[in-house]
Amino acid sequence: MSTAPLRVAMLGCGVVGTQVARLLTEHAGELAARSGRPLEIVGIAVRRTGRDRAATGVAPELFTTDAEELVTRADIVIEVIGGIEPARTLILSAMAHGASVVTANKALLAQDGPTLYAAADEHAVDLYFEAAVAGAIPLVRPVRESLAGDRIKRVLGIVNGTTNYVLDQMDTTGAGFAEAVEQAQALGYAEADPTADVEGFDAAAKAAILASLAFHTRVPASAVYREGITDVSAADVAAAREMGCVVKLLAICERTADPAGGEGVAVRVHPAMLPRTHPLAGVRGAFNAVFVEAEAAGELMFYGPGAGGEPTASAVLGDVVSVARHRVQGGRGPGESSYAELSLLPMGSTRTRYHVSLDVADRPGVLAQVALVFADHEVSIETVRQQLTPGEGDAPPRAALVVVTHQATDEALAATVDDLAKLDVVQAVASVMRVEGE
Ligand SMILES: NC(=O)c1ccc[n+]([C@@H]2O[C@H](COP(=O)([O-])OP(=O)(O)OC[C@H]3O[C@@H](n4cnc5c(N)ncnc54)[C@H](O)[C@@H]3O)[C@@H](O)[C@H]2O)c1
Ligand SMILES: N[C@@H](CCO)C(=O)O
Ligand code: NA
């Protein structure tokens, strides 16, 4: 058996890449022992050479701006550039030249995963991506391999650290959204442009990947219902607190009945109220946690650091050792599994509970009118609470009516809210938020 080193090429040397290179260098002996052959970095593609990259421990002459050439001479390519292009073209070229690929790129996998899987099959190489979902937390491998013999019913979790940090700050300090984002940026949790995180794109990409693996069905990011946290106000967080809840940005992937009597898949990312007693409510700061419910296994919970250079590098290196072992011993890791082809259900048919807060006039008959609108749409009310706030100056007192519903479809709830807004006695629909976790 050959003892020649396996050639490892890296694409990108940013937050994650720097730590991958450092750990590959510092732990070279152990990684060689675990892989069966030494792993030799043959090049790291960067946008600009000449910068101080001493933190990687990699010789300066190994940095190159010619990524296209680099991927033609490697056994393993690690892609940590991010984004769609040039990552996609480079991965496809690497595979065409016979390299197995390890990537952390959730955006690309969620948009074009099937193309990458097909190329991996065509060229008989591996495609591994543990770091793409929930950073260091082992989640892709458990869902793709450990639970391959079970039937997953639901995946529910917090898969974005930035938004969890922001919502946690809002809950613990009473800060508004903008203030909490500024704090997150100052501490390096949120990027200068936080759009991908706060608008839920990052979580939606991860949800798409998890749902595809869990339900053996292609779920592109475009099929994920997505609402970010930009409209979550300090008042929403306070209202949640009054109900004994916290607000979390949840990713929910469910196997449910489809209208034709078969099975479908519903995948959504949105802020939701969660009882403080729920295990996910205790996930603080930038941590991630994901529940997986499977028929035979029951409930499993995965918890840990979902981001950060070093934790994410841990997941990348685990994949590198796996694909290296295949190179040494033969065999391949799992390919795409999309045989189930379950239908992708629209958000309108999803059933959950809702917290609806209305500013209403304080006079006889208001509650009855409001209750009638819910009844008209067959949305059943679980609790109603009225709170009176004295008006300022000569203004009349304001009444806030807080309605929590039993489970209803999103469609029925949306129609209810539309009709509530048309009532004379309703001055404003102050907020609508889903309630999960029961
Ligand atoms: N940072 C995290 O916590 C984290 C966690 C999980 C997954 N990821 C994923 O890991 C990947 C990398 O993330 P990051 O945080 O290290 O990003 P980053 O922006 O710090 O690093 C990306 C690097 O790639 C370089 N780059 C861009 N285009 C290039 C090109 N054509 N050739 C060579 N280099 C190029 C950039 O200059 C940058 O240094 C992304 O897919 C991201 O989604 C990151
Ligand atoms: N931006 C992501 C980390 C990378 O997945 C987060 O905040 O969780
Ligand atoms: Na992971």
Side-chain angles (χ1 to χ4, degrees):
M1 195 186 283
S2 168
T3 53
L6 292 168
R7 300 162 301 165
V8 177
M10 289 182 54
L11 307 177
C13 195
V15 172
V16 177
T18 299
Q19 296 307 317
V20 170
R22 180 180 69 79
L23 293 169
L24 269 171
T25 311
E26 284 181 14
H27 299 168
E30 281 178 295
L31 292 171
R34 293 173 195 176
S35 303
R37 267 162 68 183
L39 304 174
E40 181 190 345
I41 299 180
V42 293
I44 303 184
V46 293
R47 261 213 282 243
R48 275 188 308 278
T49 51
R51 293 174 58 174
D52 177 8
R53 294 199 167 87
T56 59
V58 173
E61 60 272 20
L62 289 178
F63 290 89
T64 172
T65 53
D66 194 350
E68 289 83 0
E69 183 276 331
L70 179 60
V71 298
T72 64
R73 52 182 175 90
D75 299 301
I76 299 170
V77 169
I78 301 171
E79 186 275 306
V80 278
I81 292 176
I84 305 302
E85 287 294 353
R88 180 178 177 280
T89 300
L90 289 169
I91 287 175
L92 294 176
S93 172
M95 288 176 170
H97 285 90
S100 286
V101 170
V102 173
T103 177
N105 194 332
K106 67 217 85 166
L108 177 58
L109 285 159
Q111 182 175 312
D112 209 10
T115 302
L116 305 187
Y117 280 121
D121 275 348
E122 184 186 347
H123 303 293
V125 296
D126 276 335
L127 173 65
Y128 270 64
F129 47 90
E130 182 58 75
V133 185
I137 307 171
L139 188 59
V140 169
R141 197 177 269 94
V143 171
R144 186 155 88 141
E145 300 186 44
S146 318
L147 291 166
D150 207 334
R151 273 190 108 235
I152 294 177
K153 295 188 288 189
R154 196 157 91 118
V155 180
L156 166 79
I158 295 166
V159 293
N160 183 268
T162 305
T163 48
N164 199 58
Y165 178 85
V166 168
L167 292 171
D168 192 25
Q169 280 296 107
M170 290 173 74
D171 182 50
T172 49
T173 68
F177 170 75
E179 194 189 333
V181 169
E182 274 172 32
Q183 286 167 357
Q185 283 169 325
L187 288 167
Y189 289 123
E191 302 200 15
D193 176 1
T195 311
D197 292 317
V198 298
E199 296 288 3
F201 289 105
D202 176 81
K206 292 166 179 168
I209 295 169
L210 284 176
S212 301
L213 297 174
F215 304 125
H216 304 272
T217 292
R218 285 183 180 172
V219 182
S222 56
V224 178
Y225 174 82
R226 176 188 54 80
E227 256 177 58
I229 64 164
T230 51
D231 289 336
V232 177
S233 65
D236 291 328
V237 174
R241 178 175 285 277
E242 280 193 22
M243 281 191 40
C245 290
V246 285
V247 178
K248 295 288 188 191
L249 182 72
L250 297 181
I252 304 172
C253 316
E254 287 170 310
R255 184 195 287 272
T256 67
D258 77 6
E263 276 192 325
V265 171
V267 188
R268 53 197 164 108
V269 166
H270 56 70
M273 291 185 182
L274 203 60
R276 282 185 190 269
T277 48
H278 192 281
L280 288 179
V283 177
R284 308 285 308 274
F287 277 78
N288 285 187
V290 179
F291 268 107
V292 179
E293 296 170 26
E295 270 183 19
E299 273 194 4
L300 307 167
M301 185 169 174
F302 299 84
Y303 172 80
E310 205 173 358
T312 305
S314 163
V316 169
L317 287 171
D319 283 352
V320 168
V321 170
S322 292
V323 306
R325 285 173 175 161
H326 294 152
R327 290 272 150 167
V328 174
Q329 296 166 4
R332 283 176 65 208
E336 183 179 28
S337 176
S338 60
Y339 70 91
E341 294 180 5
L342 301 182
S343 53
L344 305 180
L345 302 177
M347 186 61 186
S349 63
T350 296
R351 293 178 67 81
T352 187
R353 294 160 66 226
Y354 297 83
H355 177 280
V356 181
S357 174
L358 306 168
D359 288 342
V360 296
D362 182 25
R363 56 173 196 258
V366 171
L367 188 55
Q369 285 190 53
V370 167
L372 198 59
V373 173
F374 280 90
D376 279 348
H377 294 284
E378 297 189 14
V379 177
S380 174
I381 292 174
E382 184 182 294
T383 60
V384 183
R385 190 162 47 86
Q386 181 172 303
Q387 204 166 10
L388 278 180
T389 334
E392 283 181 23
D394 294 337
R398 285 183 57 229
L401 209 55
V402 177
V403 177
V404 178
T405 73
H406 286 295
Q407 280 208 345
T409 65
D410 221 64
E411 216 161 41
L413 198 280
T416 307
V417 169
D418 278 353
D419 284 354
L420 286 169
K422 289 180 200 149
L423 288 181
D424 284 345
V425 296
V426 171
Q427 279 137 17
V429 179
S431 86
V432 179
M433 197 174 286
R434 299 178 182 88
V435 182
E436 301 287 341
E438 274 176 21

